[in-house]
Amino acid sequence: MKLFLIAAMLLFTPACNKTNTNLNDGPAAAKKLSSEVSGAVTAAATPREVIICDQKNARIIMVDIANNNQITWEWKASGSYAMIHSAAQAWFSNLSDAKLVYNGSYILATASGGGVALISVSSKKAIWYDYAGGNTHSAELLPNGNVVTASTTGGYLMIFTVDSYINDQSSQVKAADFEDVHNVVWDHARQQLYAAGKDKLKVFTYNGSCSAPKLTLKATYTMPQGNAHELFPVYGSTTDLWLTNSGNIYKFNVTSGAFTLIKATGSVKSVSSGPSGYPTIIARATGAGGETWRTDQLLDINGSLVYKNTAIGLYKARWKLVNTFSYPAGDHFHECTHP
């Protein structure tokens, strides 16, 4: 509405000042006015989308915060486009994470029901999916196209050899035991994997093998407080990760191993930052959305409301931005070549 008022004021201003305008300036003034109005419209229409795990409605959605909170994209495991067989659709109950991968062309999703899927944004087809089990909370791409998942129940990391032709019968190996592990993040620059659970944050190296994938523990850090939950790159940083636990939001520096307290606030399920103009958003459980661990709103890190929709049960949310901490520029879908 503000945009239309501004445009209207701009359009009527020359008419009001007609007697004071040099006739020779008319075309130039009109051209400048047209440019200003067009620029205002373009600026207002620039998408600023958030990828949301809406557990209440068993879907992943993209919401354009900059354009009246329009839902621009939706994915459900039960959708015919997803190409997930009926017996496997239950794996995707309570979607727990959705990461933009492969230069924005795919979403890597997990669900507490045990499912993990690599979804084409354009077609919505799950080109690969499988069952990790154990209340799967997060997944990450490995450099050779394989996927590692984190499961809290039973406490383990699992590596899947991704094969888009096999889908739900991928080769898999239990890569590490890790009590209550909630997350996994790949560091492209250092070629190592981070994961956090309870009061530990662990660093692993990966052997890059398709036939016998393996993680090797490199370092273990003790967090200032327990019950780790979120771990995700700070946008634009080459060294910092967002980290949350039962009562605080931290930044973890991967080179120094230092934990820096950013804000004291509990029940934060996800943190996502962006470039200038993007607020750092948090999903903080309020009980809205049908379960104690859900919410129906996104706040900025200072507590101001960014988005609210009482029809959803939000678990995690991330800005729709390419993650250069984890993946190389121009990264595209690939899968391991089997011997």
Side-chain angles (χ1 to χ4, degrees):
M1 181 60 74
K2 289 182 179 179
L3 174 59
F4 292 118
L5 289 173
I6 291 169
M9 290 171 67
L10 286 170
L11 288 168
F12 281 103
T13 298
C16 295
N17 295 331
K18 186 175 181 180
T19 56
N20 297 324
T21 302
N22 189 317
L23 293 176
N24 294 328
D25 293 337
K31 184 176 181 181
K32 180 181 179 183
L33 173 61
S34 176
S35 175
E36 288 174 348
V37 173
S38 176
V41 170
T42 301
T46 301
R48 189 173 296 174
E49 294 175 281
V50 180
I51 303 169
I52 292 173
C53 291
D54 175 13
Q55 293 188 346
K56 183 176 181 179
N57 299 291
R59 62 182 181 168
I60 300 168
I61 56 175
M62 295 183 189
V63 176
D64 191 344
I65 302 296
N67 286 287
N68 299 316
N69 295 330
Q70 295 180 44
I71 295 176
T72 59
W73 188 89
E74 177 187 85
W75 182 88
K76 291 185 175 184
S78 60
S80 59
Y81 50 75
M83 302 292 286
I84 293 177
H85 67 70
S86 57
Q89 290 172 13
W91 300 349
F92 295 91
S93 61
N94 285 339
L95 288 149
S96 54
D97 203 357
K99 296 179 177 180
L100 197 67
V101 298
Y102 288 135
N103 205 37
S105 296
Y106 294 84
I107 284 178
L108 181 61
T110 55
S112 292
V116 54
L118 188 60
I119 303 159
S120 167
V121 173
S122 60
S123 70
K124 300 184 183 181
K125 178 184 177 182
I127 64 166
W128 169 84
Y129 64 95
D130 213 319
Y131 182 76
N135 193 358
T136 314
H137 254 66
S138 185
E140 183 60 291
L141 284 179
L142 294 167
N144 59 358
N146 286 345
V147 167
V148 57
T149 57
S151 295
T152 61
T153 303
Y156 57 88
L157 301 177
M158 183 84 77
I159 295 177
F160 292 84
T161 301
V162 172
D163 186 330
S164 60
Y165 295 98
I166 295 176
N167 281 334
D168 63 331
Q169 299 175 29
S170 309
S171 173
Q172 56 191 259
V173 60
K174 188 175 180 181
D177 291 315
F178 192 167
E179 186 181 7
D180 202 39
V181 63
H182 270 71
N183 45 67
V184 271
V185 173
W186 180 254
D187 182 339
H188 171 66
R190 298 165 189 82
Q191 293 291 291
Q192 57 193 25
L193 185 78
Y194 309 98
K198 291 292 185 182
D199 65 342
K200 304 298 181 186
L201 189 151
K202 297 184 179 183
V203 185
F204 299 88
T205 57
Y206 174 54
N207 68 352
S209 171
C210 291
S211 58
K214 182 181 178 181
L215 296 178
T216 301
L217 183 64
K218 179 180 179 180
T220 300
Y221 298 92
T222 300
M223 296 166 51
Q225 188 182 27
N227 298 321
H229 198 279
E230 168 75 317
L231 190 69
F232 198 73
V234 174
Y235 183 87
S237 175
T238 59
T239 58
D240 291 332
L241 303 175
W242 293 110
L243 171 69
T244 70
N245 57 16
S246 55
N248 296 306
I249 300 172
Y250 299 92
K251 283 183 180 179
F252 173 72
N253 186 286
V254 301
T255 56
S256 68
F259 299 88
T260 301
L261 178 63
I262 302 301
K263 190 175 184 66
T265 183
S267 300
V268 175
K269 304 302 181 182
S270 66
V271 184
S272 182
S273 50
S276 177
Y278 282 70
T280 296
I281 53 174
I282 63 173
R284 185 174 183 272
T286 61
E291 298 290 351
T292 58
W293 58 83
R294 298 176 187 162
T295 185
D296 61 1
Q297 62 186 15
L298 289 175
L299 306 175
D300 70 18
I301 202 164
N302 297 312
S304 297
L305 184 67
V306 174
Y307 170 73
K308 185 177 178 69
N309 183 345
T310 57
I312 69 173
L314 188 155
Y315 187 65
K316 287 183 184 177
R318 308 200 183 282
W319 287 116
K320 187 186 177 185
L321 295 168
V322 173
N323 172 7
T324 57
F325 179 91
S326 298
Y327 320 119
D331 197 21
H332 60 279
F333 173 71
H334 53 279
E335 50 197 327
C336 270
T337 301
H338 301 291

